[in-house]
């Protein structure tokens, strides 16, 4: 369980109350200001200024508002996914990937090191979850980031992706290999400086992640944490995701130039139509260079071609 306690001012508590307004509960304990129950977390704020987050996502939720103090933790459990106190203000390597759900284009994985003294600057630049931002904004911010944030970008282009995937490697394993490698590169880059923690935007359970990495020469494990929605837990993950998106968009532009038309992102129906157009102009043999072959879109595109 990820229970957490943070200290908050009355103004902050009022903001929280508004934020959780959909989930407010009528029962408030003695000394309490409000109680809210989201599907994965119960929040109770007290007049003393303490706010208690209980349940599966307690820590993630608490991290949105402030830093839990170690002495105030409700429950301490030895688990690598258990985030240390003050996590969001630590110097952290974050890693994230883009392109895994897109039929066209590569997978880009980025690990980025954000020093605590740069966190305010990142906020100022507008670093946040790239899923909330349009591509042109992401590109604008990412261009600034790459100037001073130590990072490693790994791009798994379609031909190699298809080869590895076709030889029986799952996408999860591919991602694990890339994350591990990108993080190692950043550690090498910043040495002898060391991050206080490493946060991987979670795509597989921790044991599964390390299972994927069995047999690798170096497996980074020290101070490694996993969290879903990692972008909201530490800006290092948000920075990594923006740089990864920036790289992905650039590769998509290049692929589009090769194809002769703009290639759509995602894996929806418009992607099938674009792939069919590509097959008609260049032949099906060109597909491994442009797409992730194992997606159902390959068959759908072939069917569209046959229909004429
Ligand atoms: Mn992610």
């Amino acid at each position: 369980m990820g229970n957490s306690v943070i200290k908050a001012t009355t103004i902050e508590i009022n903001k929280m109350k508004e934020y959780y307004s959909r989930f407010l509960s009528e029962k408030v304990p003695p000394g309490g200001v409000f109680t809210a129950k989201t599907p994965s977390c119960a929040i109770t704020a007290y007049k003393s200024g303490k706010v208690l987050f209980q349940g599966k996502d307690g820590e993630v939720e608490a991290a949105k508002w402030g830093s839990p103090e170690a002495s105030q933790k409700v429950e301490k459990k030895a688990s690598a996914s258990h985030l240390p106190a003050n996590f969001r203000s630590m110097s952290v390597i974050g890693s994230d990937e883009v392109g895994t759900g897109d039929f066209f284009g590569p997978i880009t994985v980025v690990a980025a090191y954000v020093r605590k003294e740069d966190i305010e600057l990142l906020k100022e630049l507008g670093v946040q979850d790239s899923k909330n931002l349009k591509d042109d904004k992401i590109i604008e911010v990412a261009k600034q980031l790459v100037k001073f944030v130590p990072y490693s970008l790994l791009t798994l282009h379609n031909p190699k992706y298809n080869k590895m995937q076709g030889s029986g490697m799952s996408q999860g394993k591919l991602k694990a290999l890339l994350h591990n490698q990108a993080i190692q590169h950043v550690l090498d880059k910043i040495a002898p400086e060391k991050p206080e923690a490493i946060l991987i935007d979670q795509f597989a359970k921790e044991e599964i992640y390390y299972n994927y990495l069995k047999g690798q020469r170096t497996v980074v494990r020290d101070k490694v944490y996993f969290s879903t929605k990692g972008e909201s837990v530490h800006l290092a993950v948000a920075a990594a995701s923006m740089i990864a998106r920036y790289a992905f968009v650039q590769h998509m532009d290049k692929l589009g130039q090769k194809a002769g038309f703009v290639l759509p992102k995602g894996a929806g129906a418009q992607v099938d139509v674009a792939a069919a157009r590509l097959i008609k102009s260049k032949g099906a043999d060109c597909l491994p260079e442009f797409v992730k072959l194992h997606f159902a879109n390959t068959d759908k595109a072939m069917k569209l071609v046959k229909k004429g």
Side-chain angles (χ1 to χ4, degrees):
M1 297 284 269
N3 297 346
S4 267
V5 179
I6 62 167
K7 271 288 243 183
T9 63
T10 313
I11 296 168
E12 285 165 338
I13 287 177
N14 286 335
K15 266 192 207 161
M16 289 182 201
K17 189 175 177 181
E18 201 181 298
Y19 182 85
Y20 296 112
S21 58
R22 287 195 298 140
F23 304 106
L24 289 179
S25 155
E26 282 174 16
K27 280 187 203 156
V28 178
V33 182
F34 74 87
T35 298
K37 284 197 174 78
T38 76
S40 58
C41 180
I43 303 114
T44 312
Y46 293 91
K47 285 176 193 147
S48 66
K50 282 191 180 177
V51 187
L52 180 59
F53 295 81
Q54 293 168 290
K56 194 158 58 73
D57 284 344
E59 252 165 340
V60 175
E61 211 55 48
K64 288 182 185 168
W65 301 102
S67 324
E69 286 163 37
S71 59
Q72 293 181 331
K73 284 222 168 155
V74 173
E75 198 181 340
K76 283 181 195 165
K77 249 187 187 175
S79 147
S81 318
H82 200 97
L83 299 174
N86 297 319
F87 190 81
R88 60 197 297 111
S89 50
M90 283 182 164
S91 297
V92 168
I93 293 179
S95 70
D96 200 7
E97 81 283 330
V98 168
T100 52
D102 297 275
F103 183 50
F104 286 106
I107 290 181
T108 54
V109 174
V110 170
Y113 179 47
V114 173
R115 294 181 180 96
K116 57 176 132 207
E117 51 271 31
D118 287 335
I119 290 174
E120 280 311 311
L121 174 59
L122 261 67
K123 283 186 195 163
E124 204 65 30
L125 287 172
V127 175
Q128 53 162 294
D129 187 356
S130 64
K131 286 175 200 88
N132 298 332
L133 297 172
K134 291 218 170 94
D135 280 343
D136 46 355
K137 177 70 184 170
I138 293 171
I139 291 166
E140 183 197 313
V141 176
K143 276 184 180 163
Q144 299 296 314
L145 286 178
V146 295
K147 287 185 197 158
F148 70 96
V149 168
Y151 73 99
S152 165
L153 160 69
L154 297 177
T155 304
L156 183 57
H157 290 285
N158 298 86
K160 194 164 175 197
Y161 176 94
N162 289 319
K163 218 173 174 185
M164 293 175 93
Q165 198 280 328
S167 73
M169 225 178 246
S170 69
Q171 206 191 59
K173 176 158 183 165
L174 288 171
K175 283 195 262 188
L177 294 173
L178 292 165
H179 276 263
N180 181 57
Q181 212 181 352
I183 293 166
Q184 184 60 57
H185 287 168
V186 175
L187 286 170
D188 293 344
K189 255 188 196 176
I190 65 174
E193 188 176 340
K194 282 197 166 110
E196 291 174 281
I198 296 168
L199 181 65
I200 298 175
D201 191 36
Q202 188 157 18
F203 55 88
K205 280 210 179 109
E206 195 176 337
E207 322 127 59
I208 296 175
Y209 175 83
Y210 287 117
N211 262 334
Y212 285 145
L213 295 178
K214 271 193 186 140
Q216 293 302 304
R217 238 182 306 142
T218 42
V219 176
V220 184
R221 282 175 181 269
D222 191 29
K223 292 187 253 171
V224 172
Y225 299 88
F226 297 83
S227 176
T228 53
K229 298 186 194 117
E231 318 82 20
S232 57
V233 178
H234 198 284
L235 282 186
V237 174
S241 96
M242 291 181 96
I243 298 170
R245 181 79 193 170
Y246 171 40
F248 179 77
V249 168
Q250 282 180 316
H251 285 300
M252 284 294 276
D253 286 348
K254 272 190 217 151
L255 272 183
Q257 281 163 23
K258 262 195 205 169
F261 56 94
V262 175
L263 298 172
K265 300 184 181 88
Q270 80 283 17
V271 155
D272 304 334
V273 175
R277 182 173 167 193
L278 189 64
I279 295 167
K280 277 182 207 160
S281 72
K282 293 189 188 295
D285 289 349
C286 81
L287 279 183
E289 213 186 313
F290 289 89
V291 307
K292 301 181 184 79
L293 281 177
H294 65 110
F295 278 38
N297 303 89
T298 302
D299 272 350
K300 290 181 194 162
M302 294 302 265
K303 276 184 190 138
L304 286 179
V305 172
K306 274 180 201 149
K307 265 197 220 161

